[in-house]
Amino acid sequence: MVKYAITAATGRFGRAAVSHLLTLVDKKDIVLIARNAEKAKQAFKDIEVREASYDSESAMTKALSGIDRVLFISSQPGGEVPRLVQHQNVVNALATNHVSFVVYTSFPHADESENFLAQDHRGTEQAIVSAKLSHAFLRNNWYLENEASFLQSAAGDASAYYWADKKVGWALEREYAEAAANVLANGAEREIYELSGPSINFATLGETVKSTFNASSTIQKVPESDYTSQLEKNGLDHDTALMVTSFQTPIDDGSLAHPSDDLPQILGHDLTPLSEAVKEIIR
């Protein structure tokens, strides 16, 4: 009997991965690892839950006891414990438990990308390799849900602003999560997958939304500073506006302009068409 574990199981990605994994393996063979066990138990009934935080190597080591295959979902940066330290805690726990296979959610071309977001992912990939863990790296491009505010504006009668105009491989977060569950359950034919939707820019995304919803909005590219100012006019404080503005930096520097058909290949079917995908987000 193979035991499968999904870390960070209560996040949106984790929940989608668990839901799909339930279609692939028996629920008795699944273990959810979550910072908040009660939240995980409420989300998924009759599945074993173990409480552990990436902040604690000892807690993760205990939680991964007896586990064969792990979907290691990367954490968000900016926590009290640096993300690379968190990830090293998980890698150490995986190695201590002699986990047979780990699937790690990474960043596009993490081994060579100069974007600041790639640094922790590159370090984590190196740590997994150094630990001699059998693995697959799923280097996820951008989730379409990241642009929910832009999509909402484009679907209405106001202006939808952006400042970075290079291409992005947007796809639904659940599709990335379903691909991760597939690799967890079925294994991998190679070490690295560059997962991406069709490569488009904000202008194309905005026009697709307008057409889908028959909207009268204006899709407008503005300078980076003006984008920040617009966020402040919409009620964000300066620091938060700067942070939100920075979310488009990986687009501006070309880090996400890497088309690939790995995602539909792992899923075994075409991706959700963009016009249908935006309907899932804007209801």
Side-chain angles (χ1 to χ4, degrees):
M1 181 180 70
V2 176
K3 274 286 189 182
Y4 305 85
I6 294 180
T7 68
T10 57
R12 188 168 60 192
F13 189 100
R15 294 195 306 273
V18 174
S19 294
H20 190 61
L21 187 63
L22 284 167
T23 70
L24 304 174
V25 305
D26 195 299
K27 66 180 178 183
K28 67 178 173 45
D29 297 328
I30 301 174
V31 174
L32 309 184
I33 299 176
R35 182 188 294 267
N36 185 325
E38 287 305 314
K39 185 177 180 180
K41 290 175 182 177
Q42 290 173 7
F44 294 98
K45 307 295 184 184
D46 303 321
I47 299 179
E48 182 181 354
V49 175
R50 300 179 186 177
E51 188 166 280
S53 164
Y54 290 0
D55 294 353
S56 170
E57 180 181 334
S58 61
M60 288 301 304
T61 299
K62 181 179 179 181
L64 289 170
S65 176
I67 299 298
D68 301 292
R69 292 171 166 244
V70 175
L71 171 54
F72 173 12
I73 299 172
S74 55
S75 66
Q76 296 295 320
E80 291 184 7
V81 177
R83 177 162 65 168
L84 189 53
V85 174
Q86 291 181 326
H87 286 187
Q88 186 66 62
N89 288 339
V90 179
V91 173
N92 292 345
L94 292 166
T96 298
N97 283 289
H98 305 288
V99 169
S100 62
F101 182 57
V102 57
V103 180
Y104 173 66
T105 60
S106 191
F107 185 86
H109 295 272
D111 56 335
E112 60 186 14
S113 175
E114 296 182 359
N115 186 271
F116 71 100
L117 290 174
Q119 296 174 8
D120 292 343
H121 293 289
R122 180 164 53 248
T124 304
E125 289 187 3
Q126 291 169 348
I128 290 171
V129 172
S130 296
K132 295 181 169 53
L133 292 163
S134 178
H135 62 271
F137 297 145
L138 306 185
R139 293 173 171 172
N140 294 346
N141 206 288
W142 240 219
Y143 306 148
L144 187 59
E145 288 84 348
N146 292 349
E147 316 304 345
S149 179
F150 175 85
L151 299 177
Q152 291 282 0
S153 296
D157 57 6
S159 293
Y161 298 101
Y162 65 95
W163 68 269
D165 63 357
K166 290 189 173 63
K167 292 186 175 181
V168 188
W170 285 297
L172 289 167
E173 185 170 2
R174 67 163 177 81
E175 292 181 310
Y176 288 103
E178 289 167 11
N182 282 350
V183 175
L184 180 67
N186 302 320
E189 296 181 354
R190 60 182 194 268
E191 177 189 17
I192 296 169
Y193 294 88
E194 298 286 347
L195 303 188
S196 170
S199 194
I200 62 172
N201 58 18
F202 268 113
T204 300
L205 176 61
E207 291 304 323
T208 299
V209 175
K210 285 184 64 174
S211 176
T212 299
F213 291 92
N214 194 26
S216 58
S217 60
T218 300
I219 312 303
Q220 188 172 353
K221 182 182 182 299
V222 297
E224 181 180 357
S225 58
D226 289 359
Y227 183 85
T228 303
S229 298
Q230 186 61 43
L231 292 174
E232 291 175 329
K233 290 177 182 177
N234 291 341
L236 296 184
D237 62 77
H238 183 65
D239 288 345
T240 302
L242 286 175
M243 180 183 69
V244 173
T245 300
S246 73
F247 294 164
Q248 291 188 25
T249 301
I251 301 173
D252 182 63
D253 66 19
S255 295
L256 307 179
H258 298 289
S260 166
D261 61 0
D262 285 353
L263 182 53
Q265 286 186 3
I266 292 177
L267 289 172
H269 57 74
D270 292 339
L271 298 179
T272 304
L274 187 58
S275 59
E276 294 301 314
V278 297
K279 290 179 182 178
E280 285 195 26
I281 299 171
I282 305 174
R283 299 183 184 276

